[in-house]
Amino acid sequence: MAGNGEEALYGEELRPGALVGEWVVDRVQVQGPVSALYRARHARTGVPAALKVLHPQVAAAAVALRRFRREAATLQRLSHPHIVTVLGYGELSDGRPFIAMEWLEGQDLAAELATRGPLSPREVLAVMEQVGAALRVAHAAGVVHRDLKAQNVVRLGPGRGGPAVKLVDFGVAKGLVPGAPGSSSLTHTGVVLGTPLSMAPEQIRGEVPDARTDLYAVGVLLFQLLTGMPPFQGTTRHEVEQLHLHAPPPRPGEHAPVSAALDAVVLRCLRKAREERHPDVDALLEDLRGAVLGGAAPVEVPRAVGLYVEARLTGEPGPAAMEDLDAGLERASTLAREAGLEVRVLGGACLLAVASLPDDVRRERELRARVLDVALALTGRDASAARFHVTVHVDRLTARDEPHGWADGAASAWDAEGGEGGLLHLPGWVRDDGEEGTPIVTGPALRGLEMDFAASLLPDAPERWRLSARR
């Protein structure tokens, strides 16, 4: 075809009848910012196909062109019943690349949620078994999807031996191992790719993704399927990203009839630190089955917040100084109780107060904020002869194997979740970090409150912060 007829068929938007490789265009299905999706049919067999064609202005960019070709190579390598099948790929005469994929009769999960609302836990499990199987194959091949979301999971019609879902759109997939599709230099550390509503904190920070990055997106998808809404919503991309980075995730059970065990599975997926999520998709699915079907469901270890106050005299320990010390400890005891803590230890020069953290995310956050306010109040400078060294921490109330909580011997190694002996094993989390006047707060106690309190990380002390003020 020549002249105006050719221009009509092969303009920026392909018209019905345009021949793309072995496929004839029927109609445009979706116009996206980077590419267009067309319904087409094979010129000889008539079998329907989905054609993804890069827009001309995007195709002119070398990086975008390579990324598009990489998607085709990734999908061809990941042959699996729950991953969309690539039928072929190539280029139009003007250089625009295309991918021909199987045509999926059905609708994506976002459209399904919009029309029917949340799914039941058993329906969610059936969907996630299939999504998980697709991710297992991708991760085993060294590929992380990085854009798993409801729009990229298509539920097929029932005429294929029962409902099934397929994972689509590996456009921002990245290789985890050298030589895997996506392991090229097209994406570098510091470049953010993905959808804000589903992005893991490490993606937002531009860090190198791994399989656990997809598991965070699984948590977002689980929350959305169970409740009909994403866990974090905002009016701008920046606002949503800040929530993913700093805000504690809500429990699905706050919005839908979901069990505590299922809440625990979702919340573990949505942990800010990838090390705290499930190690792989199989571990996640095992916990999800237990939570939905019963049996060995995951149990979150009960946690509590602890406030430790140690009084120190600035001068000679005379009667007046001792009265100041006693008055200061009495004030600390009063403030701790008013904040909702129980005073467990009140000695001649120290105090330990604790409170179990509620399951409700908002109330849990409010309790920790009250304790940090108490810590700031106790370390304010005044004319008293007594100064207070204050530490706030979140951990188990007692050690795993010791019901009394006091561990013998040297202090255990302190990690991101605190001392191995729990809150009552003080050497595990209380240290002499130098100057009085500013409280010390550990990472688990500060987590999610960084926007409300000014704090600076202590040098050579990971997960320990010096608290300076309420913002």
Side-chain angles (χ1 to χ4, degrees):
M1 187 174 298
N4 293 334
E6 183 175 358
E7 290 177 7
L9 286 176
Y10 297 95
E12 180 168 341
E13 180 179 305
L14 301 181
R15 302 301 182 188
L19 184 64
V20 178
E22 300 176 358
W23 294 270
V24 179
V25 171
D26 286 338
R27 66 175 184 268
V28 62
Q29 191 74 15
V30 179
Q31 279 284 9
V34 174
S35 60
L37 185 70
Y38 300 88
R39 179 187 167 95
R41 66 186 185 279
H42 194 273
R44 181 174 54 82
T45 66
V47 173
L51 290 179
K52 186 174 182 180
V53 182
L54 207 62
H55 290 322
Q57 64 272 25
V58 180
V63 171
L65 187 60
R66 291 197 302 271
R67 182 174 290 128
F68 193 85
R69 290 168 177 163
R70 185 187 63 194
E71 179 184 2
T74 298
L75 285 171
Q76 279 205 320
R77 184 180 182 190
L78 301 179
S79 176
H80 188 268
H82 295 300
I83 297 177
V84 65
T85 302
V86 169
L87 305 176
Y89 62 96
E91 294 182 359
L92 300 181
S93 58
D94 61 5
R96 278 181 286 171
F98 70 86
I99 304 173
M101 297 168 285
E102 63 175 322
W103 180 261
L104 301 179
E105 289 288 353
Q107 63 178 351
D108 63 58
L109 293 183
E112 182 173 343
L113 289 172
T115 56
R116 58 156 288 186
L119 280 61
S120 71
R122 284 182 178 266
E123 289 177 304
V124 170
L125 176 60
V127 168
M128 294 313 303
E129 290 279 13
Q130 297 167 73
V131 172
L135 288 178
R136 183 187 302 114
V137 168
H139 295 166
V143 175
V144 58
H145 190 285
R146 291 204 300 177
D147 199 24
L148 176 64
K149 57 185 178 182
Q151 291 88 339
N152 285 339
V153 181
V154 177
R155 189 197 284 271
L156 307 179
R160 303 166 60 97
V165 300
K166 289 216 175 195
L167 189 56
V168 302
D169 202 348
F170 278 75
V172 296
K174 182 175 178 66
L176 302 175
V177 296
S183 61
S184 71
S185 61
L186 295 181
T187 53
H188 304 274
T189 300
V191 177
V192 177
L193 290 174
T195 302
L197 283 176
S198 303
M199 282 200 299
E202 62 268 21
Q203 274 181 285
I204 296 170
R205 291 191 294 264
E207 298 170 0
V208 176
D210 62 20
R212 294 165 297 181
T213 303
D214 279 345
L215 299 190
Y216 185 92
V218 169
V220 174
L221 180 59
L222 282 171
F223 190 102
Q224 193 170 359
L225 294 179
L226 291 166
T227 68
M229 65 183 73
F232 298 119
Q233 301 180 75
T235 57
T236 66
R237 179 189 181 105
H238 177 73
E239 183 178 346
V240 174
E241 289 178 347
Q242 289 303 304
L243 291 171
H244 278 294
L245 286 171
H246 304 296
R251 293 183 298 108
E254 296 174 20
H255 304 279
V258 172
S259 69
L262 192 47
D263 274 344
V265 175
V266 177
L267 292 180
R268 183 173 179 185
C269 291
L270 295 177
R271 296 276 179 86
K272 307 298 184 188
R274 68 179 95 188
E275 295 80 10
E276 298 176 6
R277 301 172 204 149
H278 296 86
D280 52 47
V281 69
D282 286 327
L284 189 160
L285 289 175
E286 182 179 356
D287 278 358
L288 184 60
R289 294 184 199 108
V292 174
L293 303 177
V299 178
E300 290 286 293
V301 178
R303 298 186 306 153
V305 59
L307 171 76
Y308 180 74
V309 180
E310 181 180 341
R312 299 174 181 178
L313 296 177
T314 57
E316 292 296 323
M322 296 304 295
E323 286 182 11
D324 280 347
L325 187 150
D326 290 341
L329 286 176
E330 186 60 36
R331 176 171 176 259
S333 177
T334 299
L335 291 176
R337 290 189 174 96
E338 289 175 350
L341 302 173
E342 175 190 357
V343 177
R344 289 292 188 93
V345 177
L346 182 56
C350 67
L351 172 148
L352 173 65
V354 300
S356 296
L357 291 172
D359 292 333
D360 181 84
V361 173
R362 180 182 59 81
R363 291 172 53 227
E364 187 260 6
R365 188 175 182 276
E366 290 174 349
L367 174 57
R368 288 190 290 117
R370 289 199 303 271
V371 176
L372 296 188
D373 284 332
V374 170
L376 287 170
L378 292 175
T379 51
R381 294 290 185 180
D382 55 33
S384 171
R387 294 285 182 266
F388 294 96
H389 184 90
V390 179
T391 308
V392 181
H393 180 47
V394 166
D395 198 358
R396 301 178 310 279
L397 187 57
T398 60
R400 285 189 180 90
D401 302 321
E402 301 179 40
H404 53 76
W406 295 98
D408 297 325
S412 303
W414 189 86
D415 59 21
E417 285 300 323
E420 288 295 324
L423 280 177
L424 299 186
H425 178 53
L426 296 177
W429 57 279
V430 176
R431 300 175 182 175
D432 187 351
D433 290 296
E435 65 180 285
E436 294 84 15
T438 54
I440 303 301
V441 56
T442 66
L446 182 63
R447 194 164 295 147
L449 297 174
E450 294 90 344
M451 302 294 288
D452 301 317
F453 292 87
S456 56
L457 188 64
L458 289 176
D460 303 320
E463 289 287 290
R464 291 178 71 82
W465 302 74
R466 192 176 298 282
L467 201 64
S468 56
R470 185 60 126 118
R471 294 189 193 276

